[in-house]
Amino acid sequence: MQTLWQDMRYGLRMLVNKPAFTLIAIFTLALGIGANTAIFSVVNSVLLRPLPYPNAGRLMTIWEDHRARNGPVNEWTSPTGFEDWRDQARSFDHVVALQNWQPILTGQGEPEQLFGAQVSHGTFAMLGVTPALGRTFHPEEDQRGAESVVIISHGLWQRRFGADPSLVGKRISLNGESRTVIGVMPVGFKFPIIAGADIWRPIQPALGPRCQRGCITVRVMARLKPEATEAQARAELRSIAARIEQQFPDTNSKVGVTLIPLHEFLVGPVKTQMLMLLAAVGFVLLIACANVANLLLARSATREKEIAIRASLGAGRWRIARQLLSESLLMAVIGGAMGLLLAYWLVNLLVGFSPQGTPRLDEIGVDGRALGYALAITILTGLLFGSAPVWQLFKADLNQSLRDGGKGLQVARSGRRALSALVVAETALALMLLVGAGLLIRSFIRLQRVDPGFNPRNVLTAIVTLPQAVYPERNQIAPFYSQLLERVRALPGVQSASAVSSLPLAGNDSDAGFLIEGRPAPQPNQQPVAWYSSVSPDYFRTMGMRLIAGREFNERDNENSPKVVIISEATARRHFPNEDPVGKRIGNGRPDGWIEIVGVTADVKHFGLNQDARVSMFFPDRQQPSRRMFIVARTAADPLSLTSALKGAVAAMDKNLAVSNIGAMEEITAQSIGQERFTLLLLGVFSALALLLAVAGIYGVMSYAVAQRTHEIGVRVALGAQTRDVLKLVVSQGMVLVSVGVGIGLASALALTRFIKGLLFGVSAT
């Protein structure tokens, strides 16, 4: 330890004596270590850290598999399907169902649209969490006719009820109905799948009596028993699905089942991007190490005489090597400390720039595991770049060097190959990152050029929901929205206004099967399916959607007129090829269930700019009313300037209604490609940093090479060489190294880009 301490003190003096060299090397290491620690902190928090529930690895999600019916692999299920899995599967301790729930809280200040969930009893026991106050749901409360009870989050308890400890047992008003608060969840509790849930109620009373088998409305979670394995549970669920298919072929034909661990389901959408960013920032660290190794190799030539004298006084090569490694580790530790400070700043920056919907975003931070990772890569980088001068030391002839007076001839010859190899490696790594960034840039440009099928500019959007307890009759819904839209159209700056039940790119999904009049009835579960939405008159003009054929809806399309529908261009191509669909009818097959097609509209990218337009159709809101509608208003100026006026228009109609999700359509469109933009931004920054470091490395090596060949160049000039001849000599040497690096980098990029195929849009990996 005393010898090590002496080595460290001597190494510190050497670093202080060369401030320019020291600052460049430490700054380079701080960039590499800081960026790596920051990205690892994100990957660790999102991908590696277990979910915050006891034995979280046993939490599963269960889905219907509709691939055999040309549907999704992860589809919701029916209340009856949930009961089948719950009652027949023996591999689980708990099987629970959940649905979204968005009640309006009134009587506690301004009305607020809450975001919550309807859950079956046992949900919180499955998650292994108990309320901080009160209790969870009893089985008898998850039955029709039971008392209306709710559990609220700790944040909602503080925000709207002033952390009143006597709230448990009291009643609050939700959707115009009185419900009893029976529990308050603990601080920091996060409900899975339905992110941001603030309130929970039992699910069974909310399920309609007609929603049984085939009515896909619920999601299912489960916890494996300690003795059960994931493979056993998957096999058991498949046998249950096969048995149900035989019993109910009309509703369950070709319906399989999918079992996915909860953690995998939550983080799966971002796993590829995060691992790619971790690899990219690892390349940056390798380039940083190569740069510092170049600096140390060049510096070792100036220390050759010192090292030769120490060897002549009795110091063995291993003793000198330990001294050199101590200096490298000291430099790495200082760079690591600076990098750690940089990492804390970068993590906050990354969280701030992360797109909405990033899983576990609020859990991202520099924890003990990230600190351990920073320490490990600090030591590793110190050994990695410190080994270059040590390797050169073992190849050098120190006795010859001492006799030559420290001219460095032997070291220069043995070190040139190492310097050249490092330059080739830097160039190859930088090129691989640039290729990946270039592909993502082209992909992102293609995404931005995609026509969404509507004009998002100057469009204000907001959600208004009519509670069933307050507006129990269907014939109350459309007149309310019609009157509200008249008020919105009268607002200053509003050019047109309408309403829609499912806004493009807002994450809403609703679909249904249909039949085409005059065509043979399809086999069970093989009828065509279309995404649908209810819209008020003037919707297509307000959204800037193009009508290809037929007409738009008008006020005459009401509950007393014949039912009509407008279909999308994709629907016309698939189901009415080479014919005019206007005038034809679709429906459910009953004599009174046929609906006439009155128009065809251009396709809309409803589910994402990078996804194909689905078969879709639109109904008049007076014929297919929806309690939850998006208000859309095209304005002459900034749409968000009308926020207060819109809230006032709703309050004038009903002061107990809440207006939620107020935003601009341009922002919603931009957020739909937020994950792609975030990934491109980070990879672009890392690629630029890698290129900058590689350029600096090439410059350092060539500068060192020229310095070593000064005498030779002088002789060439004395013999008549021109400036261009010397320039050609030096540049050609550098270009040879870069060309080799480019060749290796291109070959490696071709091999690695196939891993990012899933992130590209309209661009091949080659």
Side-chain angles (χ1 to χ4, degrees), residues 550-628:
R551 66 172 178 85
E552 293 192 27
F553 299 134
N554 53 50
E555 296 295 341
R556 293 188 298 274
D557 297 315
N558 54 45
E559 59 274 14
N560 299 319
S561 64
K563 292 184 177 180
V564 293
V565 62
I566 294 176
I567 65 173
S568 69
E569 194 175 4
T571 310
R573 283 195 305 267
R574 178 175 299 184
H575 299 293
F576 302 95
N578 303 318
E579 55 182 319
D580 183 5
V582 176
K584 292 181 167 54
R585 300 201 301 176
I586 61 175
N588 54 22
R590 295 196 300 266
D592 60 346
W594 295 110
I595 307 172
E596 181 184 357
I597 299 173
V598 297
V600 179
T601 183
D603 288 331
V604 171
K605 297 286 188 178
H606 186 86
F607 297 96
L609 297 180
N610 58 352
Q611 296 189 26
D612 294 333
R614 291 192 192 178
V615 171
S616 56
M617 55 186 63
F618 302 88
F619 299 101
D621 66 331
R622 285 187 173 269
Q623 296 181 354
Q624 298 283 347
S626 172
R627 297 186 181 279
R628 182 176 183 265

Side-chain angles (χ1 to χ4, degrees), residues 308-319:
I309 292 175
R310 295 181 67 183
S312 68
L313 294 176
R317 289 181 186 261
W318 283 109
R319 179 66 184 85

Side-chain angles (χ1 to χ4, degrees), residues 273 276-277 440 675-684:
Q273 291 96 317
M276 181 187 67
L277 291 174
L440 289 181
Q675 193 65 54
E676 290 84 355
R677 182 187 295 106
F678 181 67
T679 303
L680 171 61
L681 174 66
L682 290 185
L683 188 59

Side-chain angles (χ1 to χ4, degrees), residues 71 154-155 160 168 323 418 579 600 604 687:
H154 193 275
R160 292 302 300 257
V168 175
Q323 172 63 51
E579 55 182 319
V600 179
V604 171
S687 300

